[in-house]
Amino acid sequence: MSNIKVADDIYVDDAVTFDSLNLDPRISQAIKQLGFKNPTLIQSKAIPLAVEDKSDIIAKASTGSGKTAAYLLPILHSILQEYGSSSSTHEIKAVIFVPTRELSNQVNEFAKLLLKFCGNLINVLNLSNNYNNQVLKTFLDAKPEILITTPNKFLKLIEGQEDSDPLLNISDLQESLRFITLDEVDLILSYGYQEDLNKIVELLNLSKLNVQTFLMSATLTDDITVTLKETFCKNPKILKLNDEQVVKNKDKLIQYYIKTSEFDKFLLIFIILKLNLIKGKILLFVNNIERGYRLKLFLEQFGVKSCILNSELPINSRLHIIDQYNKNYYNLLIATDDVSSLEADNEGPGEIEVNQNGEPKTEEHESKKENDISEKQITKNNTKSNTNKSKSDKEFGVSRGVDFKNVACVLNFDLPTTSKNYIHRIGRTARANKSGIALSFVVNSKDWGSHRQSSLLTAKKDEKIFARILNKQQKLGLELLPYKFNKNHLDSFRYRVEDAFRSVTGTAIREARIKELKQEILTSDKLKRHFEENPQDLQILRHDKDLHATRTQSHLKSIPNYLLPEGMKADTTNPTFVPFNKVQKNRKRHGKKMKKRRGKDPLKTFKSR
Ligand SMILES: Nc1ncnc2c1ncn2[C@@H]1O[C@H](COP(=O)(O)OP(=O)(O)OP(=O)(O)O)[C@@H](O)[C@H]1O
């Protein structure tokens, strides 16, 4: 059996078996091997409609409800039915559009698992891999049955570019294409791919083709549905399976919040991590890349290891980080959920949009003269953090679609800028029958801007967004609880936290960012070939190494006994008491182990070819 995670019980449709769906036996065999016993609700509804009625499908179903298989299974089954046991000629039959490279990779991996027993009958090409034109041409000439791509990449292939002719021939495609999927369709649109999609539809002359479409998302507004329906579908079946499912899941996911000032977020995260208040793996979201490094460097001073994931890192590193996180190599992943690319909430009146800096746009904001000095400075800081945006990957996204495994807690260090994105972020935990918590820091409006270095533009609207989040969750019968802790403990740690925070200067952050980038580029490009040949070496390559961009203050790494809250203090009268910072001993042993391993570090022994 594969070690792939299975969907949460609440999504599974016990009344239907995979056998009753009469899928091709080669696929049924693969499904068995994945350990999937019954289809999920969205699968049991969508598959017969797609396979037997050949209907177009528009599906709105919760995160983690198995939407990927709901469109992949009918597509694979139909191609296999057409090919039978052999196919003399390969043809491009399906294009799966995704918003991000992370998702592209995930769909690719999943499709390959489903095709395990099909030999080379159906080939899949993941276009998020950076192939050069010659290699790409060779791959495309082999006519892989399924292309997984962002709309922009696909458009380049059919339109050609300044320096190259189109790599895909439109009339061939018009002849062969049978399926189009838009996965996480609303995100595809909010990533600015609408224009690309329009051009693709026009170039392919889609309305004249006999193509079956699948439009999938967890959050799909009626407006989007109407627009897409007209452009892509012919009499689609619309399946909406969200909200009741979320409600059923309410015992598994507990949502907390803490109202705080901006600086106290750093104090809180220090306490939560250093006092081990959350058990298990944490996926922490910040709203821009600079924040991620600031937090990493801040935590590093207390000996708290973390790993960074953002759009600036090369795609190979990003995929490797997600893979290692899923294999439990890291306890804390700091992911940048770049709010400038996030969509606005479509909640009717009071709807908000976000601008380049992640600042929610409102009429009031647009017209207001920004004459508040502190606000100007914060704007400058926040803008600076985005100046490298051109170098970052537009096709990056982790709050949507990515199947992070075993996340015990989603921690919104920075609150998202829309309630919709909140739903997507918290959907990364309490998956696959596991329970989880979501904890969100909400900045009090009155405190916003009072501490310039820790301030973030998007936090100015935290209370407004939070009200919307509460409202949306309440409609689903869910609640957000205040996270209870003793506020007096904050003050005893304030001095150390301020000290550590001061060391994380703008220069330190810039240096850390460059250092990590260089490290990751080296990892990504030069070592790619080495790792292809020696996959076992990948295990040694960790992404949570200290960046050491700040002055080291070793006294900060452990908490003196007198600062610990009652109950965590070492009981010197009791010889069996295990003190809070017992890890020191293990760390030594661990250190030895690492020393031994270091000899094998491919970064140190690798010779470029
Ligand atoms: N029938 C099934 N039985 C058990 N597990 C399943 C089944 N179908 C899919 N899964 C598993 O459920 C998990 C979630 O599936 P998937 O990623 O397709 O969900 P999703 O609806 O696309 O979620 P998101 O919107 O978060 O991307 C995956 O780990 C997948 O392997």
Side-chain angles (χ1 to χ4, degrees):
M1 199 174 102
S2 140
N3 64 356
I4 194 161
K5 284 278 166 306
V6 293
D8 198 310
D9 277 350
I10 59 149
Y11 300 123
V12 172
D13 189 351
D14 292 330
V16 181
T17 60
F18 270 114
D19 287 345
S20 70
L21 296 177
N22 289 323
L23 292 169
D24 187 281
R26 290 162 284 190
I27 299 187
S28 303
Q29 177 77 14
I31 293 172
K32 252 189 214 119
Q33 207 172 65
L34 287 173
F36 298 174
K37 293 194 177 67
N38 301 79
T40 63
L41 270 168
I42 190 70
Q43 292 160 6
S44 69
K45 298 282 176 292
I47 294 171
L49 288 170
V51 169
E52 286 154 31
D53 304 354
K54 305 279 174 223
S55 296
D56 289 351
I57 304 285
I58 297 182
K60 181 182 168 192
S62 304
T63 59
S65 60
K67 292 188 289 297
T68 320
Y71 66 79
L72 271 181
L73 290 173
I75 294 176
L76 299 181
H77 168 84
S78 306
I79 301 176
L80 286 171
Q81 292 302 101
E82 192 187 321
Y83 279 2
S85 57
S86 69
S87 163
S88 48
T89 50
H90 287 279
E91 283 182 327
I92 296 174
K93 300 273 182 200
V95 181
I96 297 170
F97 291 113
V98 288
T100 63
R101 304 221 233 168
E102 282 73 13
L103 199 52
S104 191
N105 197 62
Q106 193 172 289
V107 174
N108 180 50
E109 302 273 307
F110 191 48
K112 292 206 162 134
L113 289 172
L114 292 176
L115 286 168
K116 190 167 177 196
F117 299 99
C118 299
N120 289 329
L121 217 49
I122 298 182
N123 296 311
V124 184
L125 182 61
N126 173 11
L127 289 170
S128 80
N129 291 329
N130 274 333
Y131 301 117
N132 70 37
N133 265 9
Q134 243 168 342
V135 175
L136 194 55
K137 185 170 180 336
T138 319
F139 284 153
L140 289 170
D141 284 350
K143 305 273 187 252
E145 274 65 23
I146 299 176
L147 301 180
I148 308 172
T149 177
T150 60
N152 187 262
K153 195 128 199 173
F154 182 76
L155 182 62
K156 284 180 186 157
L157 295 181
I158 56 174
E159 252 190 343
Q161 288 179 275
E162 276 164 25
D163 52 345
S164 70
D165 290 337
L167 294 184
L168 281 174
N169 180 300
I170 292 188
S171 29
D172 285 354
L173 266 177
Q174 286 171 323
E175 285 271 303
S176 65
L177 200 62
R178 294 285 168 271
F179 308 95
I180 286 184
T181 297
L182 276 83
D183 197 356
E184 299 289 353
V185 56
D186 57 333
L187 193 61
I188 289 184
L189 298 185
S190 68
Y191 264 45
Y193 288 129
Q194 171 92 58
E195 217 175 290
D196 295 337
L197 280 177
N198 290 344
K199 275 197 196 156
I200 292 168
V201 167
E202 199 186 307
L203 286 169
L204 289 178
N205 203 358
L206 194 65
S207 59
K208 297 278 178 298
L209 304 186
N210 181 21
V211 167
Q212 188 176 13
T213 50
F214 298 85
L215 310 183
M216 324 294 285
S217 184
T219 44
L220 207 51
T221 62
D222 290 343
D223 289 358
I224 296 180
T225 311
V226 170
T227 321
L228 293 170
K229 199 169 121 182
E230 282 166 10
T231 321
F232 285 94
C233 307
K234 296 175 200 100
N235 297 322
K237 296 285 183 303
I238 301 179
L239 306 172
K240 289 188 183 175
L241 299 174
N242 298 42
D243 301 348
E244 321 79 72
Q245 303 310 322
V246 180
V247 176
K248 280 203 229 160
N249 200 19
K250 73 175 166 194
D251 297 337
K252 293 236 175 71
L253 174 68
I254 306 176
Q255 302 175 60
Y256 294 106
Y257 68 91
I258 303 179
K259 294 245 177 148
T260 173
S261 71
E262 294 193 287
F263 179 75
D264 282 2
K265 285 190 194 182
F266 288 86
L267 195 49
L268 283 164
I269 194 71
F270 159 81
I271 290 174
I272 287 170
L273 295 175
K274 232 17 216 179
L275 302 188
N276 273 326
L277 300 186
I278 292 172
K279 304 276 177 266
K281 267 165 42 176
I282 299 177
L283 176 60
L284 183 151
F285 285 107
V286 289
N287 284 359
N288 70 43
I289 296 176
E290 183 264 356
R291 297 276 286 177
Y293 285 103
R294 183 181 289 280
L295 193 56
K296 179 177 167 75
L297 292 179
F298 167 77
L299 293 173
E300 218 171 71
Q301 296 185 68
F302 300 109
V304 176
K305 280 195 176 297
S306 63
C307 183
I308 289 265
L309 184 62
N310 64 43
S311 57
E312 222 173 44
L313 301 173
I315 180 73
N316 292 332
S317 303
R318 275 154 34 197
L319 297 176
H320 188 229
I321 289 166
I322 295 174
D323 185 50
Q324 287 198 323
Y325 179 77
N326 283 343
K327 287 178 180 150
N328 304 330
Y329 277 54
Y330 313 121
N331 255 340
L332 175 61
L333 182 62
I334 301 177
T336 301
D337 193 14
D338 196 341
V339 293
S340 61
S341 57
L342 299 180
E343 67 274 59
D345 258 342
N346 285 314
E347 294 171 331
E351 180 174 295
I352 56 152
E353 265 183 75
V354 286
N355 65 18
Q356 257 318 92
N357 302 318
E359 165 77 352
K361 269 202 246 169
T362 60
E363 277 175 24
E364 172 210 359
H365 171 73
E366 301 266 74
S367 61
K368 191 183 158 213
K369 281 255 177 283
E370 307 261 345
N371 52 9
D372 175 348
I373 302 235
S374 66
E375 184 163 336
K376 265 190 181 166
Q377 279 168 327
I378 292 163
T379 311
K380 210 169 132 208
N381 279 350
N382 281 256
T383 315
K384 245 195 267 165
S385 70
N386 278 336
T387 44
N388 270 355
K389 199 152 178 45
S390 54
K391 288 188 204 125
S392 66
D393 187 347
K394 179 170 164 266
E395 297 168 4
F396 166 82
V398 282
S399 64
R400 302 278 296 260
V402 176
D403 196 17
F404 288 103
K405 317 257 193 245
N406 306 319
V407 179
C409 172
V410 166
L411 203 154
N412 289 316
F413 186 83
D414 296 333
L415 200 69
T417 52
T418 68
S419 55
K420 194 198 272 182
N421 204 40
Y422 175 82
I423 292 181
H424 286 289
R425 283 192 190 178
I426 66 171
R428 303 307 106 203
T429 185
R431 287 167 86 86
N433 264 332
K434 302 252 165 56
S435 50
I437 65 168
L439 171 61
S440 302
F441 293 168
V442 183
V443 172
N444 299 312
S445 306
K446 66 174 172 49
D447 293 326
W448 184 84
S450 58
H451 187 273
R452 192 166 56 84
Q453 288 305 332
S454 62
S455 200
L456 176 75
L457 266 178
T458 58
K460 192 180 173 193
K461 296 275 155 66
D462 268 12
E463 285 198 318
K464 255 190 185 170
I465 307 292
F466 184 62
R468 286 194 186 136
I469 292 171
L470 276 183
N471 190 5
K472 216 165 203 172
Q473 296 296 311
Q474 263 161 15
K475 279 190 194 151
L476 298 170
L478 303 171
E479 56 179 350
L480 273 85
L481 308 166
Y483 186 80
K484 296 226 169 78
F485 63 97
N486 187 342
K487 291 206 170 66
N488 295 334
H489 292 155
L490 289 187
D491 286 326
S492 44
F493 293 112
R494 192 171 293 278
Y495 177 72
R496 321 188 116 224
V497 169
E498 279 172 355
D499 195 18
F501 188 87
R502 263 194 304 274
S503 318
V504 186
T505 58
T507 316
I509 294 171
R510 267 193 304 283
E511 277 172 14
R513 207 163 154 173
I514 293 167
K515 187 173 170 188
E516 169 128 310
L517 203 55
K518 277 189 187 157
Q519 207 165 288
E520 294 297 340
I521 287 171
L522 178 77
T523 308
S524 183
D525 292 343
K526 272 201 177 170
L527 300 185
K528 195 171 164 224
R529 188 134 153 235
H530 173 86
F531 289 133
E532 272 163 12
E533 285 160 18
N534 305 284
Q536 70 285 357
D537 283 354
L538 268 176
Q539 312 312 327
I540 303 167
L541 192 72
R542 296 183 68 97
H543 299 264
D544 63 347
K545 289 182 182 140
D546 286 354
L547 291 170
H548 292 307
T550 47
R551 86 193 133 95
T552 316
Q553 305 187 74
S554 43
H555 71 283
L556 289 178
K557 293 200 172 163
S558 52
I559 303 180
N561 203 34
Y562 68 88
L563 280 180
L564 287 171
E566 287 309 322
M568 280 186 173
K569 285 191 173 146
D571 180 357
T572 40
T573 57
N574 175 5
T576 59
F577 181 84
V578 183
F580 168 68
N581 43 3
K582 66 176 165 92
V583 275
Q584 294 302 338
K585 233 182 185 173
N586 292 344
R587 199 173 276 161
K588 228 177 187 174
R589 238 186 286 140
H590 187 61
K592 259 187 204 161
K593 229 190 256 169
M594 290 311 284
K595 224 182 212 168
K596 250 195 217 161
R597 276 205 212 151
R598 227 168 270 152
K600 287 191 215 156
D601 187 342
L603 276 173
K604 299 207 167 78
T605 54
F606 178 78
K607 292 189 190 75
S608 26
R609 290 159 205 269

